[in-house]
Structures are given as C-alpha cells and as structure tokens.
Amino acid sequence: MPMIELTTTVGALEDGAKQRLAGELSTIALELEAAPYADFGDVEYMQALAWCFVNEQDVFVGGRRHTKPIYRVVTTFPEGAPGLWGPLCAGNRQKLVERVTAAVLAAEGTSPSITEAHRVWVHLRFLPDGQWGGFGDVIPMQDTASYSLGRGEPGSKVDRRRQAALESVGAPERVEA
C-alpha cells in the first residue's frame, strides 16, 4: 500500500508523461514492497491503493533555479513491509531507489548518468503500525497483510475494504483470494 509523492519543477513533464510515470512508480513500489514473498505490481486491488501525488512547484538548488528539472520522490510504506523494512532488505531499498531514478529520467527523456541522477532524490518513509489510516479507519499491519494477500472472509472488514477500493477505481467488484 505505498503512497508516493512526486515533487518536481513546474512544467518538468507533460501530462501524459506524468501519468505514465505515476503508474510506473506505483508498480515499482508494489513490486518491491513484499519481494521476494509476493509481487503486487499488477494486482488490481493493490494498484487501487497505490496513489501517486504529483506536486509541481518552484524548486531551487543552492538558492538558484537549476537549468533542468529537479525531482523528489517520497515513498511511504507501512512499517514492517516485508520487502523493504529492516536490515535484510537493504538490497530491495537500493533497487527501489535505482528503478525510481531511472523511471523519472526516462519520463523526461534523459539518459541515465550520475550527473543526471543528481537531480532525482528518493526518500523512503515507514509509518509505525497504527499510524496508517484509510477507509475512515486506522489500518493495522495485520489488516494490511490480509488485504495485500487477498485474505479475509467474504464480508469481513478487509474484504469490504478491498471491494470498496476496486469499486472506487472502477474495477470489477469481486476478488477471489
């Protein structure tokens, strides 16, 4: 259930490129959030909760406008996300930063290099259990895991959330675990 905030220089990307990048960032985050235990990258009910907020604003580097766009991508996950949380997940966090950086540069049509990558900063945030809220309720990690893995008895709170998320984005209503 990643939440992604892309902040960039005003006019950095055309609307189509922003939308494609938002989708790619969501997929990258979902693919790595629980890896190698699960890959949620193309799971529709997970995509329904992978939101990307795009903020365009004036960005200054050292008090000056940079000649090229600047990007900050903040990815927020529930603490305990099995593919990214803890010391054994350093490799997946590295992959996330590399893939997000490459996706941003590709969206603007720039070949990757360390100089170009300097303009893309990726921050990972983890919210402690009990501080992730949605559907008008606090969502504990146990419910997050049940939602993600397609578990929850028909009619349970987790199942109702999954169906509501799909309905909200116009996807088919019934998901079988």
Side-chain angles (χ1 to χ4, degrees):
M1 289 186 189
M3 290 286 162
I4 302 156
E5 294 176 51
L6 167 62
T7 303
T8 187
T9 310
V10 175
L13 300 169
E14 295 178 3
D15 286 342
K18 278 190 283 194
Q19 186 171 354
R20 285 187 299 278
L21 179 58
E24 189 170 354
L25 296 177
S26 296
T27 297
I28 290 167
L30 286 169
E31 285 175 356
L32 292 168
E33 182 175 29
Y37 308 107
D39 175 356
F40 299 124
D42 62 355
V43 177
E44 200 161 18
Y45 63 85
M46 292 300 290
Q47 285 284 353
L49 295 186
W51 296 4
C52 182
F53 299 84
V54 179
N55 306 302
E56 294 182 292
Q57 57 193 37
D58 292 330
V59 181
F60 299 90
V61 177
R64 291 183 252 178
R65 291 187 190 276
H66 198 282
T67 58
K68 293 184 176 182
I70 301 297
Y71 302 90
R72 179 184 64 203
V73 181
V74 179
T75 56
T76 305
F77 301 92
E79 197 171 88
L84 297 168
W85 175 253
L88 299 178
C89 297
N92 278 353
R93 291 191 298 273
Q94 178 65 36
K95 283 181 195 174
L96 184 120
V97 171
E98 289 171 358
R99 290 182 62 194
V100 164
T101 301
V104 168
L105 293 175
E108 73 167 23
T110 300
S111 296
S113 71
I114 192 167
T115 301
E116 299 299 341
H118 163 258
R119 299 182 295 110
V120 182
W121 287 77
V122 182
H123 300 171
L124 282 72
R125 290 186 184 157
F126 295 93
L127 292 181
D129 196 22
Q131 294 184 21
W132 193 269
F135 300 95
D137 201 359
V138 171
I139 304 173
M141 188 59 187
Q142 181 176 344
D143 285 2
T144 299
S146 292
Y147 180 100
S148 301
L149 297 172
R151 296 189 179 136
E153 296 294 319
S156 68
K157 185 183 270 191
V158 170
D159 181 61
R160 289 192 316 270
R161 287 176 181 155
R162 191 178 305 106
Q163 300 312 319
L166 288 168
E167 182 180 338
S168 175
V169 299
E173 290 188 28
R174 180 80 350 232
V175 174
E176 299 301 325

